[in-house]
């Protein structure tokens, strides 16, 4: 009976090893799809491999009628059922039976002495039977208890995550700007250190952002698209800097695909996504979705729509027909508007960008005064001031078309 138990243990160990391999495979698939509990399944698989090997070893030793090997086979079967996962537990049931047979047969199959022993008393025989029954029922009971625990915990071994795109769409974006501090930290000529970049990355990874950035390149990425954005955009000789991004967009509709596939370098794309890492001093945003409500559709040959001036007074070429008080009022309105737009633009810039914008504004003021003060007639001078002020206002407004 010991030999039979050992052979059964070896067979169960082999099948347990195969079951552990299947468990590892399923856990690997779960990890690839980022399923919850996938790491637990992989751990169970390795536990199944360990105890399957042990059952094979103890099964081989149990063939030699070693009682301790039979006990070790029972313990390995129970632990394997508990720590190896559901598939391994099925094989460990067979190994448990082999261990019980090995323990019972170790004494029964022991070699008899040369002289015939006197017949045992009925009480001794009954005691031995009770011990055998105790081993059988105790092992089976322990196995059933642990199998029940495994079955209950195994129901949620691999539970698919909620749809990340649906979660992303319903998540409120963080108040994190693509320009300013982020652009200064991650730009290639940054004065910040790698340690500071690492600390900032740890701070922002996992946050959801909603940005509008200029496109540099678009390519396919699985079933979605990878959009690389530019780190700088210029208007009227002035450049505004942004943090570079690699945005992995999952299209939700055919309209999304049409929008992405129609993008050109320089277009402004509006997206919402989760920051999940950095690459080449750029942020990796994955997953991400298109935001339709704020899609601007800007490109080098399609300028951004701008608000019309508050004062719509036309300025004819013949200044003699112009009412000077009306022209003065028109210039006052244009001057107030450019001051408002200028303050709004400055509030969005980093300290370095503010200084550069201020220098450009002062250069424009000198250019405006030089051009318009050359006009002798007040009406023509006012016409010049109004025209140049409105043109500059529209240039400043373009700085606010991206976030």
């Amino acid at each position: 009976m010991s030999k039979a138990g050992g052979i059964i243990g070896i067979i169960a160990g082999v099948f347990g090893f195969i079951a552990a391999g299947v468990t590892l495979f399923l856990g690997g698939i779960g990890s690839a799809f980022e399923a919850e509990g996938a790491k637990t399944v992989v751990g169970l698989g390795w536990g199944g491999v360990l105890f399957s090997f042990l059952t094979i070893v103890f099964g081989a030793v149990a063939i030699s009628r070693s009682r301790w090997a039979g006990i070790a086979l029972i313990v390995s079967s129970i632990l394997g059922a508990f720590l190896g996962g559901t598939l391994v537990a099925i094989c460990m049931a067979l190994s448990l039976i082999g261990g019980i047979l090995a323990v019972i047969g170790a004494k029964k199959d022991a070699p008899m002495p040369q002289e015939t022993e006197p017949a045992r008393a009925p009480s001794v025989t009954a005691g031995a039977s009770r011990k055998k029954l105790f081993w059988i029922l105790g092992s089976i009971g322990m196995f059933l208890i642990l199998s029940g625990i495994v079955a209950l915990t195994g129901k949620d071994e691999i539970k698919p995550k909620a749809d990340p795109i649906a979660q992303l769409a319903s998540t409120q974006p963080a108040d994190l700007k693509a320009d300013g501090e982020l652009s200064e930290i991650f730009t290639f000529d940054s004065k910040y250190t790698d340690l500071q970049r690492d600390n900032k990355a740890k701070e922002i990874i996992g946050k959801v952002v909603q940005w509008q950035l200029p496109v540099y390149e678009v390519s396919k990425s699985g079933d979605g698209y990878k959009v690389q954005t530019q780190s700088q955009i210029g208007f009227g000789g002035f450049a505004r800097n942004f943090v570079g991004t690699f945005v992995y967009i999952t299209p939700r509709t055919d309209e999304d695909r049409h929008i992405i596939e129609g993008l050109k370098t320089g277009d402004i794309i509006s997206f919402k996504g989760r920051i999940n890492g950095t690459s080449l001093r750029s942020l990796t945003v994955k997953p991400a979705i298109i935001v339709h409500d704020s899609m601007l559709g800007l490109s080098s040959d399609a300028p951004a729509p701008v608000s019309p001036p508050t004062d719509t007074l036309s300025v004819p070429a013949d200044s003699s027909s112009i009412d000077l008080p009306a022209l003065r009022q028109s210039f006052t309105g244009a001057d107030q508007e450019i001051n408002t737009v200028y303050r709004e633009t400055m509030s969005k810039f980093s300290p370095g960008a503010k200084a550069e914008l201020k220098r450009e504004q002062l250069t424009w003021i000198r250019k405006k005064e030089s051009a318009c003060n050359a006009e002798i007639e007040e009406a023509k001078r006012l016409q010049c001031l109004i025209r140049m002020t409105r043109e500059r206002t529209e240039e400043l407004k373009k700085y606010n078309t991206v976030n």
Side-chain angles (χ1 to χ4, degrees):
M1 191 178 293
S2 295
K3 291 182 179 180
I7 293 172
I8 292 174
I10 292 173
I11 295 173
V14 172
F15 281 104
F17 180 78
I18 296 173
V22 174
T23 302
L24 285 172
F25 177 74
L26 295 176
I29 294 177
S31 297
F33 288 95
E34 299 181 350
E36 292 182 1
K39 292 184 178 179
T40 302
V41 176
V42 172
L44 291 174
W46 286 116
V49 169
L50 172 63
F51 289 106
S52 295
F53 274 129
L54 290 177
T55 56
I56 293 174
V57 172
F58 292 137
V61 177
I63 294 177
S64 64
R65 300 187 180 90
S66 174
R67 186 173 186 181
W68 71 265
I71 296 174
L73 186 58
I74 292 174
V75 174
S76 297
S77 301
I78 294 174
L79 292 177
F82 181 61
L83 300 175
T86 305
L87 295 177
V88 176
I90 296 172
C91 301
M92 292 298 103
L94 180 62
S95 176
L96 177 64
I97 295 173
I100 295 172
L101 292 176
V103 171
I104 296 173
K107 196 169 185 180
K108 182 176 180 180
D109 297 339
M112 298 295 290
Q114 296 296 327
E115 297 181 2
T116 305
E117 292 184 359
R120 295 181 179 180
S123 59
V124 175
T125 304
S129 298
R130 284 196 295 271
K131 287 183 179 179
K132 293 178 183 178
L133 183 61
F134 171 78
W135 273 104
I136 294 172
L137 294 179
S139 299
I140 293 175
M142 182 64 70
F143 181 81
L144 291 176
I145 291 172
L146 294 178
S147 297
I149 294 173
V150 172
L152 291 175
T153 57
K155 289 181 179 180
D156 298 325
E157 284 178 356
I158 299 181
K159 182 174 65 176
K161 281 186 174 181
D163 183 3
I165 299 301
Q167 285 185 336
L168 176 64
S170 60
T171 301
Q172 182 70 23
D175 185 18
L176 196 63
K177 302 298 183 182
D179 57 354
E181 183 186 29
L182 277 184
S183 64
E184 292 179 358
I185 290 177
F186 289 98
T187 185
F188 279 101
D189 58 352
S190 173
K191 296 181 180 179
Y192 286 81
T193 65
D194 287 339
L195 176 61
Q196 291 169 325
R197 273 184 287 275
D198 290 342
N199 290 337
K200 190 62 179 181
K202 292 176 183 178
E203 177 186 333
I204 64 176
I205 286 177
K207 289 188 176 182
V208 173
V209 295
Q210 184 169 318
W211 290 338
Q212 297 169 351
L213 294 175
V215 174
Y216 176 71
E217 189 58 85
V218 181
S219 59
K220 287 284 292 182
S221 176
D223 294 332
Y225 300 87
K226 175 184 175 182
V227 178
Q228 180 181 356
T229 64
Q230 299 181 34
S231 57
Q232 190 178 83
I233 188 171
F235 295 110
F238 178 77
R240 182 178 175 189
N241 296 321
F242 304 94
V243 63
T245 64
F246 294 99
V247 188
Y248 291 81
I249 298 178
T250 300
R252 293 178 290 174
T253 62
D254 290 339
E255 182 183 359
D256 285 357
R257 293 186 182 276
H258 178 73
I259 290 173
I260 297 171
E261 293 180 1
L263 290 172
K264 300 176 182 177
T265 299
D267 285 358
I268 303 298
I269 185 172
S270 178
F271 63 89
K272 184 179 184 182
R274 190 180 301 276
I275 300 173
N276 76 346
T278 61
S279 175
L280 300 174
R281 294 207 183 179
S282 295
L283 301 183
T284 301
V285 182
K286 183 179 182 181
I289 56 176
I290 289 289
V291 179
H292 294 277
D293 292 342
S294 47
M295 172 60 73
L296 301 179
L298 301 181
S299 65
S300 57
D301 58 351
V306 293
S307 302
T310 54
D311 186 348
T312 59
L313 176 65
S314 61
V315 185
D318 184 7
S319 60
S320 60
S321 61
I322 295 299
D323 184 6
L324 285 177
L327 271 179
R328 295 189 188 104
Q329 183 179 1
S330 179
F331 171 66
T332 300
D335 190 57
Q336 290 175 347
E337 182 184 15
I338 194 172
N339 288 332
T340 300
V341 174
Y342 177 75
R343 286 193 297 269
E344 180 182 353
T345 304
M346 287 285 281
S347 67
K348 296 184 177 182
F349 281 11
S350 63
K354 286 180 180 179
E356 189 173 347
L357 179 59
K358 183 177 180 180
R359 285 194 296 269
E360 184 184 278
Q361 188 72 0
L362 292 174
T363 300
W364 170 80
I365 291 174
R366 287 192 293 268
K367 179 181 177 181
K368 177 192 68 172
E369 291 177 348
S370 175
C372 298
N373 289 340
E375 298 290 346
I376 299 176
E377 296 182 13
E378 182 182 2
K380 288 186 177 182
R381 184 167 59 253
L382 288 172
Q383 290 175 2
C384 175
L385 291 171
I386 293 170
R387 175 179 55 80
M388 293 191 68
T389 301
R390 287 177 175 175
E391 288 175 353
R392 179 59 180 169
T393 301
E394 300 311 317
E395 289 182 357
L396 291 173
K397 286 180 178 179
K398 290 178 182 179
Y399 295 139
N400 300 320
T401 60
V402 288
N403 296 319

